[in-house]
Coordinates of all heavy atoms in Angstrom, one line a residue:
F1104 N 108.8 78.5 84.5 CA 108.8 80.0 84.8 C 107.7 80.3 85.8 O 108.0 81.1 86.7 CB 108.4 80.6 83.4 CG 108.5 82.1 83.5 CD1 109.7 82.8 83.6 CD2 107.4 82.9 83.5 CE1 109.9 84.2 83.7 CE2 107.4 84.3 83.7 CZ 108.6 84.9 83.7
I1108 N 107.9 82.2 89.4 CA 107.0 83.3 89.9 C 106.6 83.0 91.3 O 106.5 83.7 92.3 CB 105.9 83.6 89.0 CG1 106.4 84.3 87.7 CG2 104.9 84.4 89.6 CD1 105.4 84.4 86.6
C1111 N 108.9 83.3 94.0 CA 109.0 84.7 94.5 C 107.9 85.1 95.3 O 108.0 85.8 96.3 CB 109.1 85.7 93.2 SG 110.7 85.7 92.5
E1138 N 114.6 102.6 80.0 CA 114.9 101.5 81.0 C 115.5 102.1 82.3 O 115.2 101.8 83.4 CB 115.8 100.4 80.5 CG 115.7 99.1 81.1 CD 116.8 98.9 82.2 OE1 117.8 99.7 82.3 OE2 116.8 97.9 82.8
L1197 N 120.9 100.2 78.4 CA 120.1 99.9 79.6 C 120.6 100.8 80.7 O 120.3 102.0 80.7 CB 120.2 98.4 80.0 CG 119.7 97.4 79.0 CD1 119.8 96.0 79.5 CD2 118.1 97.7 78.7
F1241 N 125.2 90.3 78.2 CA 123.9 91.0 78.5 C 124.3 92.0 79.6 O 123.9 91.9 80.8 CB 123.0 89.9 79.1 CG 121.5 90.4 79.4 CD1 120.6 89.4 79.7 CD2 121.2 91.7 79.4 CE1 119.3 89.8 80.0 CE2 119.9 92.1 79.8 CZ 119.0 91.1 80.0
N1243 N 124.0 95.1 81.9 CA 122.7 95.5 82.3 C 122.7 96.7 83.2 O 122.2 97.8 82.9 CB 122.0 94.3 83.0 CG 120.6 94.5 83.1 OD1 120.0 95.6 83.2 ND2 119.9 93.3 83.1
R1265 N 119.7 89.8 76.0 CA 118.5 90.4 76.5 C 117.2 89.9 75.8 O 116.2 89.6 76.5 CB 118.5 91.9 76.3 CG 117.5 92.6 77.1 CD 117.5 94.1 76.8 NE 116.7 94.5 75.8 CZ 115.3 94.8 75.9 NH1 114.8 94.9 77.1 NH2 114.6 95.1 74.9
Y1268 N 115.9 86.9 77.7 CA 116.0 87.0 79.1 C 115.2 86.0 79.9 O 115.5 85.5 80.9 CB 115.6 88.4 79.6 CG 114.2 88.8 79.7 CD1 113.5 88.5 80.8 CD2 113.5 89.1 78.5 CE1 112.1 88.8 80.8 CE2 112.1 89.4 78.6 CZ 111.5 89.2 79.7 OH 110.1 89.4 79.8
V1272 N 116.1 83.3 83.0 CA 115.4 83.1 84.3 C 115.0 81.6 84.4 O 115.3 81.0 85.5 CB 114.2 84.1 84.4 CG1 113.3 83.8 85.7 CG2 114.7 85.5 84.3
F1300 N 121.4 86.0 87.2 CA 120.8 87.2 86.6 C 121.0 88.5 87.4 O 120.0 89.1 87.8 CB 119.2 87.0 86.3 CG 118.6 87.8 85.2 CD1 117.8 87.2 84.3 CD2 118.9 89.2 85.1 CE1 117.2 88.0 83.3 CE2 118.3 89.9 84.1 CZ 117.5 89.3 83.1
N1302 N 121.4 92.3 88.1 CA 120.7 93.3 87.3 C 121.2 94.7 87.8 O 122.3 95.0 87.6 CB 119.2 93.0 87.4 CG 118.4 93.7 86.4 OD1 118.7 94.7 85.9 ND2 117.3 93.0 86.1
A1316 N 120.7 93.8 92.4 CA 119.5 92.9 92.3 C 120.1 91.6 91.7 O 120.7 91.6 90.7 CB 118.5 93.5 91.4
T1318 N 118.1 89.1 90.0 CA 116.7 88.9 89.5 C 116.3 87.5 89.6 O 115.2 87.2 90.0 CB 116.6 89.5 88.1 OG1 117.0 90.8 88.1 CG2 115.2 89.3 87.5
C1321 N 115.1 86.7 93.1 CA 114.3 87.7 93.7 C 114.8 88.3 94.9 O 114.2 88.7 95.9 CB 112.9 87.2 94.1 SG 112.0 86.5 92.6
L1342 N 112.4 89.7 97.8 CA 111.3 90.5 97.2 C 110.3 89.6 96.6 O 110.5 88.5 96.2 CB 111.9 91.4 96.2 CG 113.0 92.4 96.8 CD1 113.8 93.0 95.7 CD2 112.3 93.5 97.5
P1343 N 109.0 90.2 96.5 CA 108.0 89.4 96.0 C 108.0 89.2 94.5 O 107.2 88.3 93.9 CB 106.7 90.2 96.4 CG 107.2 91.6 96.5 CD 108.7 91.5 97.0
R1344 N 108.8 90.0 93.8 CA 108.8 89.9 92.3 C 110.3 90.1 91.8 O 111.1 90.4 92.6 CB 107.9 90.9 91.7 CG 106.5 90.9 92.3 CD 105.6 91.9 91.6 NE 104.7 91.2 90.8 CZ 103.8 91.8 90.1 NH1 103.7 93.2 90.1 NH2 102.9 91.2 89.4
Y1345 N 110.4 89.9 90.6 CA 111.7 90.1 90.0 C 112.3 91.5 90.2 O 111.7 92.5 89.5 CB 111.8 89.7 88.5 CG 111.5 88.2 88.4 CD1 110.3 87.9 87.7 CD2 112.3 87.2 88.9 CE1 110.0 86.5 87.5 CE2 112.0 85.9 88.7 CZ 110.9 85.5 88.1 OH 110.5 84.2 87.9
P1346 N 113.3 91.7 90.9 CA 113.9 93.1 91.0 C 114.6 93.5 89.7 O 115.4 92.6 89.1 CB 114.8 93.0 92.2 CG 115.2 91.6 92.3 CD 114.1 90.8 91.7
D1347 N 114.6 94.8 89.4 CA 115.3 95.3 88.2 C 116.4 96.3 88.7 O 117.2 96.0 89.4 CB 114.2 95.9 87.2 CG 114.8 96.0 85.8 OD1 116.0 96.2 85.7 OD2 114.0 95.9 84.9
N1348 N 116.1 97.6 88.3 CA 117.2 98.6 88.7 C 117.0 99.0 90.1 O 115.9 99.0 90.7 CB 117.2 99.8 87.8 CG 117.7 99.4 86.4 OD1 118.3 98.4 86.3 ND2 117.4 100.2 85.5
V1359 N 113.8 100.0 94.6 CA 114.1 98.8 93.8 C 112.9 98.7 92.9 O 111.7 98.6 93.4 CB 114.2 97.6 94.7 CG1 114.5 96.4 93.8 CG2 115.3 97.8 95.7
A1360 N 113.0 98.7 91.6 CA 111.9 98.4 90.7 C 111.6 96.9 90.6 O 112.6 96.2 90.6 CB 112.3 99.0 89.3
L1361 N 110.4 96.6 90.7 CA 110.0 95.2 90.6 C 109.2 95.0 89.2 O 108.2 95.4 89.0 CB 109.1 94.8 91.7 CG 109.6 95.0 93.1 CD1 108.6 94.7 94.2 CD2 110.9 94.2 93.3
N1362 N 110.1 94.4 88.3 CA 109.6 94.2 87.0 C 108.5 93.2 87.1 O 108.7 92.1 87.6 CB 110.7 93.7 86.2 CG 110.6 94.0 84.7 OD1 109.5 93.8 84.2 ND2 111.6 94.5 84.2
R1363 N 107.3 93.5 86.5 CA 106.3 92.5 86.5 C 106.0 91.9 85.1 O 104.9 91.4 84.8 CB 105.0 93.1 87.1 CG 104.4 94.3 86.4 CD 103.1 94.5 87.1 NE 102.3 95.3 86.1 CZ 101.5 94.8 85.2 NH1 101.4 93.5 85.1 NH2 100.7 95.5 84.4
E1364 N 106.9 92.0 84.3 CA 106.8 91.3 83.0 C 106.7 89.8 83.3 O 107.5 89.3 84.0 CB 108.1 91.4 82.2 CG 108.3 92.8 81.5 CD 109.7 92.9 80.9 OE1 110.4 91.9 80.8 OE2 110.1 94.1 80.7
K1365 N 105.7 89.2 82.7 CA 105.6 87.8 82.9 C 104.8 87.2 81.7 O 104.1 87.9 81.0 CB 105.0 87.4 84.1 CG 103.7 88.0 84.5 CD 103.2 87.6 85.9 CE 102.0 88.4 86.3 NZ 101.6 88.1 87.7
H1380 N 99.8 93.9 93.3 CA 101.2 93.7 93.5 C 102.0 95.0 93.3 O 101.7 95.8 92.5 CB 101.7 92.6 92.5 CG 101.2 91.3 92.8 ND1 101.7 90.6 93.9 CD2 100.2 90.5 92.2 CE1 101.1 89.4 93.9 NE2 100.2 89.4 92.9
P1381 N 103.0 95.1 94.1 CA 103.9 96.4 94.1 C 104.8 96.2 92.8 O 105.2 95.2 92.4 CB 104.6 96.3 95.3 CG 104.7 94.8 95.6 CD 103.4 94.2 95.1
V1382 N 105.0 97.4 92.2 CA 105.9 97.5 91.0 C 107.2 98.1 91.5 O 108.2 98.2 90.7 CB 105.3 98.3 89.8 CG1 104.2 97.3 89.2 CG2 104.8 99.6 90.4
A1383 N 107.3 98.6 92.7 CA 108.6 99.1 93.2 C 108.5 99.2 94.7 O 107.4 99.3 95.3 CB 108.8 100.5 92.6
M1384 N 109.6 99.0 95.3 CA 109.7 99.2 96.8 C 110.8 100.1 97.2 O 111.9 100.0 96.6 CB 109.9 97.8 97.4 CG 108.6 97.0 97.4 SD 108.9 95.3 98.2 CE 107.2 94.8 98.3
L1401 N 100.9 102.2 87.2 CA 102.2 101.9 86.6 C 102.3 100.6 86.1 O 102.3 99.6 86.7 CB 103.3 102.1 87.7 CG 103.4 103.4 88.5 CD1 104.1 103.2 89.7 CD2 103.9 104.5 87.6
A1402 N 102.3 100.5 84.8 CA 102.1 99.2 84.1 C 103.3 98.2 84.3 O 103.2 97.1 84.7 CB 101.8 99.4 82.6
S1403 N 104.5 98.7 83.9 CA 105.7 97.8 84.1 C 106.8 98.8 84.4 O 106.9 99.8 83.8 CB 105.9 97.2 82.7 OG 107.4 97.0 82.5
V1404 N 107.6 98.4 85.4 CA 108.5 99.4 85.9 C 110.0 98.8 85.9 O 110.2 97.7 86.4 CB 108.2 99.9 87.4 CG1 109.2 100.7 87.9 CG2 106.8 100.6 87.3
S1405 N 110.9 99.5 85.3 CA 112.3 99.1 85.3 C 113.1 99.8 86.3 O 114.1 99.3 86.7 CB 112.9 99.3 83.9 OG 112.2 98.6 83.0
E1406 N 112.8 101.1 86.5 CA 113.5 101.9 87.5 C 112.7 103.0 88.1 O 111.8 103.6 87.4 CB 114.7 102.5 86.7 CG 115.6 103.4 87.6 CD 116.9 103.8 87.1 OE1 117.6 102.9 86.5 OE2 117.2 105.0 87.1
V1407 N 113.0 103.3 89.4 CA 112.4 104.4 90.1 C 113.5 105.2 90.6 O 114.4 104.7 91.3 CB 111.4 103.9 91.2 CG1 110.9 105.1 92.1 CG2 110.3 103.2 90.7
G1417 N 110.8 104.8 85.1 CA 111.1 104.4 83.7 C 110.8 103.0 83.5 O 110.6 102.2 84.5
S1418 N 110.6 102.6 82.2 CA 110.1 101.2 82.0 C 110.6 100.8 80.6 O 110.4 101.6 79.5 CB 108.6 101.1 82.0 OG 108.2 99.9 81.4
V1419 N 111.2 99.6 80.5 CA 111.6 99.1 79.2 C 110.5 98.7 78.3 O 110.7 98.6 77.1 CB 112.6 97.9 79.5 CG1 111.8 96.7 79.8 CG2 113.6 97.7 78.4
E1420 N 109.3 98.7 78.8 CA 108.1 98.3 78.0 C 107.3 99.5 77.4 O 106.6 99.3 76.6 CB 107.2 97.5 78.9 CG 107.7 96.3 79.4 CD 107.2 95.0 78.7 OE1 106.0 94.8 78.8 OE2 108.0 94.5 77.9
M1421 N 107.5 100.6 78.1 CA 106.6 101.7 77.8 C 107.2 102.8 76.9 O 108.4 102.9 76.8 CB 106.1 102.4 79.1 CG 105.4 101.4 80.1 SD 104.0 100.8 79.2 CE 103.8 99.2 80.1

Side-chain angles (χ1 to χ4, degrees):
F1104 188 74
I1108 287 176
C1111 278
E1138 203 260 356
L1197 298 177
F1241 189 169
N1243 199 331
R1265 193 185 92 89
Y1268 77 93
V1272 175
F1300 208 133
N1302 200 327
T1318 300
C1321 299
L1342 298 161
R1344 310 181 107 176
Y1345 296 116
D1347 200 331
N1348 289 343
V1359 182
L1361 300 176
N1362 207 314
R1363 61 175 202 84
E1364 281 171 19
K1365 56 184 171 186
H1380 290 287
V1382 287
M1384 284 180 167
L1401 303 164
S1403 152
V1404 175
S1405 305
E1406 181 169 310
V1407 173
S1418 167
V1419 77
E1420 298 257 289
M1421 300 300 153

